[in-house]
Amino acid sequence: QLFDFCITFDSEVRWTWGRKWEIMRIAFVISRYLPIASVAMYLYLLLVARTYAFCGGEKRILIAISSFGMVTLVL
């Protein structure tokens, strides 16, 4: 899917970026970018879980990593 994303990106820019936000464009953006966001979230949660386990289950580490993730998400 990453290969498909790369080879069709120029067509996406040409045909969708300059258009108004209608239902078809919203559906396209969701179907195009939701899988990428899902993989990124899964990898982040895996990293948090492994770091938490590696640090012996200390709650302050979990709080620090979660806080960093929330700040990053907001920005």
Side-chain angles (χ1 to χ4, degrees), residues 39-58:
V39 168
M41 283 297 292
Y42 175 75
L43 291 175
Y44 177 74
L45 291 174
L46 183 65
L47 175 67
V48 168
R50 290 181 58 88
T51 304
Y52 179 66
F54 180 74
C55 293
E58 292 186 38

Side-chain angles (χ1 to χ4, degrees), residues 1-19:
Q1 186 164 5
L2 184 60
F3 178 72
D4 177 57
F5 177 81
C6 293
I7 63 172
T8 59
F9 186 71
D10 61 332
S11 297
E12 175 187 347
V13 171
R14 182 176 44 236
W15 294 106
T16 62
W17 282 20
R19 305 203 182 234

Side-chain angles (χ1 to χ4, degrees), residues 23-40:
I23 190 70
M24 289 307 292
R25 183 174 181 200
I26 292 169
F28 172 77
V29 169
I30 289 172
S31 68
R32 178 94 163 163
Y33 293 104
L34 188 62
I36 295 169
S38 297
V39 168

